[in-house]
Amino acid sequence: MRPADFELLSNLLKLNSGLVLTPDKAYLLESRLMPVARKHQIPTMEALADKVRSRPDDTLLRDITEAMTTNESSFFRDSKPFDQLRDVLLPRMLEARGARKQLRIWCAAASSGQEPYSISMILKEQAAKLAGWKIDIIGTDLSNPILDRAKEGLYTQFEVQRGLPITLLVKYFKQEGDKWRISDDIKKMVQYRRLNLLQPFGDLGQFDIVFCRNVLIYFDQPTKAKVLEAISKQMPNDGVLLLGGAETVLGVTDRFRPMEGQRGLYELSTAPALQKAV
Amino acid sequence: MKTCLVVDDSGVIRKVARRILEQMSFDCSEAENGLIALDACKARMPDAVLLDWNMPVMSGIDFLKGLRAMPGGDKPKVVLCTTNNDMKHIVEALGAGADEYIMKPFDHDIVQAKFAQIGLV
Ligand SMILES: C[S@@+](CC[C@H](N)C(=O)[O-])C[C@H]1O[C@@H](n2cnc3c(N)ncnc32)[C@H](O)[C@@H]1O
């Protein structure tokens, strides 16, 4: 791949999705973009770069951006955050929102739906406590094809076997050929929307709980900071942010601070500190 | 060291499973059908059983029922290992007292994840 082409394409990706690619990832660029080139009847990577340089159309640019996203996900990924949701966050919100009985949860990198559906299953399992509550779960992602997969809710054997407890599989999935389809009950708890975290999202409203997991890792520091600051504006003072295992706010932004004793959970720096038990 | 009994009529699968489990620091023993496995459990109750579904002499599900009826047989965590990925079998296995299931072919990551899920690692 010509160095100038790599530079062009990696700049484009950085601009459109925040993805930062170092030159040692040129092979990744090539292997993921060749199918895009083929789809647009462009014979080579060089020709693809030339097209982007001269007269790119929106579909081509979008296809390039989407092809470069990593959509790896799994049900109850890392399990701990979902235990924390059930054991720490829900009880806290049940109390704090008891009067209004409203809870809004945002999955800011929903990918193929495993994360929002894991959240939905947890809430469904707590249905008795949440009777009469209005709960919104919004799943957003940059990539349209991956959101289509999420909406479809059809998973392979390999995907359900990773992380999904057998009891929940039996309860909330139906077998379809050699795949598994999530039940309508769970599916209808989640609304999906295409959203680029790099663009303004003020119209999404406020969220009590934000899952933004395993997406910031692809961004550089200034982009991480910008996205985290924008997210902080969508949260009430007692809202909670959950990041992925390799992500943190420390050294990135001072809008959030780690929640004491709760790894991976962050609260707004403006939130009143919880009284420590004596 | 935690103990795991690998029950499968295929020697190859037992070997693969043993290698994975030993990497996870389990002390492994093997049985080639349900009947032999029941005897093994009578002699020494393992912490975990990785159990095949289809076996001659005594199937996985019959072993499971037998195990759960034995004194102390409620203790081992049983992970059923099957190519039968249909709901009917999974429900049946759950009903008989399986804790989790793994679909073949499995690898280190899957076994590790499933065992972690039920608190064995
Ligand atoms: C690795 S997945 C994480 C999925 C899930 N949150 C999890 O932890 O398993 C990352 C997702 O982020 C999405 N993504 C990447 N850049 C994005 C951006 N700028 N705005 C919104 N979503 C983005 C990708 O399309 C991909 O689906």
Side-chain angles (χ1 to χ4, degrees):
Chain A
M1 186 178 218
R2 298 179 301 203
D5 293 349
F6 176 82
E7 205 180 306
L8 172 82
L9 292 169
S10 60
N11 283 338
L12 175 82
L13 287 162
K14 165 103 198 295
L15 197 70
N16 285 350
S17 72
L19 177 70
V20 177
L21 280 180
T22 44
D24 59 312
K25 293 279 162 58
Y27 73 94
L28 193 69
L29 205 59
E30 271 198 82
S31 65
R32 298 239 188 124
L33 293 191
M34 268 324 283
V36 175
R38 232 170 283 132
K39 178 179 158 196
H40 289 262
Q41 273 138 22
I42 301 169
T44 60
M45 280 301 283
E46 286 73 25
L48 180 75
D50 289 341
K51 172 106 193 191
V52 169
R53 231 173 246 120
S54 56
R55 41 188 164 76
D57 56 76
D58 286 349
T59 4
L60 178 64
L61 294 183
R62 208 182 50 221
D63 285 351
I64 290 175
T65 311
E66 288 176 347
M68 290 309 298
T69 58
T70 298
N71 308 120
E72 169 92 10
S73 191
S74 62
F75 289 102
F76 299 95
R77 181 169 184 174
D78 303 331
S79 74
K80 182 89 190 283
F82 299 91
D83 295 342
Q84 288 169 318
L85 172 66
R86 188 192 52 221
D87 302 333
V88 180
L89 298 182
L90 276 182
R92 186 173 140 146
M93 288 298 168
L94 277 168
E95 200 178 308
R97 302 285 181 276
R100 245 195 313 149
K101 297 201 170 194
Q102 251 192 42
L103 189 61
R104 298 193 79 224
I105 303 179
W106 177 21
C107 263
S111 189
S112 32
Q114 285 95 326
E115 187 176 85
Y117 291 142
S118 299
I119 297 171
S120 308
M121 284 185 267
I122 287 198
L123 295 180
K124 198 80 182 169
E125 293 287 295
Q126 307 278 317
K129 288 185 200 150
L130 291 167
W133 282 64
K134 181 175 174 340
I135 296 175
D136 291 333
I137 303 171
I138 315 289
T140 63
D141 201 284
L142 172 74
S143 159
N144 266 323
I146 206 71
L147 283 176
D148 289 341
R149 273 216 60 204
K151 288 178 204 161
E152 176 84 13
L154 194 61
Y155 298 96
T156 63
Q157 193 180 102
F158 178 75
E159 287 167 324
V160 294
Q161 139 143 295
R162 271 180 80 191
L164 187 67
I166 186 173
T167 42
L168 297 183
L169 176 74
V170 168
K171 222 159 150 180
Y172 298 122
F173 287 78
K174 261 201 317 278
Q175 195 168 23
E176 241 180 71
D178 56 2
K179 297 219 172 130
W180 300 83
R181 189 181 292 281
I182 192 123
S183 75
D184 285 340
D185 274 6
I186 297 295
K187 203 195 290 192
K188 70 176 186 234
M189 293 173 72
V190 185
Q191 288 163 264
Y192 290 104
R193 246 179 87 168
R194 177 172 191 271
L195 182 137
N196 188 342
L197 287 168
L198 266 44
Q199 282 158 12
F201 44 74
D203 62 334
L204 269 187
Q206 295 274 300
F207 293 95
D208 306 297
I209 300 172
V210 179
F211 281 74
C212 183
R213 306 192 65 232
N214 303 301
V215 60
L216 295 180
I217 30 169
Y218 302 106
F219 303 164
D220 64 9
Q221 291 286 95
T223 311
K224 284 180 194 170
K226 192 178 145 226
V227 171
L228 284 170
E229 273 151 35
I231 290 176
S232 75
K233 297 201 177 111
Q234 304 307 120
M235 293 169 57
N237 223 11
D238 60 352
V240 177
L241 168 74
L242 291 93
L243 297 181
E247 296 161 335
T248 179
V249 302
L250 296 174
V252 182
T253 174
D254 51 19
R255 293 292 177 95
F256 290 97
R257 64 169 181 242
M259 249 174 93
E260 227 184 285
Q262 298 295 336
R263 209 170 167 262
L265 266 48
Y266 301 88
E267 57 194 356
L268 292 174
S269 315
T270 50
L274 277 186
Q275 295 288 309
K276 273 208 208 113
V278 243
Chain B
M1 204 182 217
K2 286 200 169 131
T3 54
C4 184
L5 177 63
V6 178
V7 191
D8 201 304
D9 56 329
S10 151
V12 177
I13 302 248
R14 289 202 304 272
K15 212 158 118 191
V16 172
R18 174 187 278 271
R19 196 174 318 133
I20 292 174
L21 288 160
E22 284 178 350
Q23 274 170 20
M24 291 164 49
S25 300
F26 273 88
D27 175 7
C28 267
S29 47
E30 301 177 21
E32 62 185 61
N33 66 50
L35 205 58
I36 298 175
L38 272 185
D39 276 344
C41 289
K42 235 174 264 164
R44 186 178 70 152
M45 204 51 89
D47 297 303
V49 181
L50 190 65
L51 180 66
D52 186 25
W53 180 278
N54 283 314
M55 287 175 295
V57 187
M58 186 189 273
S59 71
I61 198 90
D62 288 334
F63 160 80
L64 190 52
K65 289 177 186 158
L67 172 74
R68 293 309 192 204
M70 269 162 71
D74 55 334
K75 297 239 167 59
K77 297 277 186 195
V78 177
V79 176
L80 197 79
C81 188
T82 171
T83 44
N84 296 321
N85 62 337
D86 62 285
M87 193 60 100
K88 212 178 83 228
H89 283 107
I90 295 177
V91 173
E92 196 184 336
L94 258 188
D99 294 286
E100 262 302 334
Y101 74 105
I102 291 183
M103 294 171 201
K104 289 183 194 172
F106 52 80
D107 61 12
H108 183 276
D109 287 358
I110 297 278
V111 177
Q112 171 94 30
K114 280 289 164 192
F115 274 51
Q117 209 174 293
I118 51 178
L120 279 166
V121 277

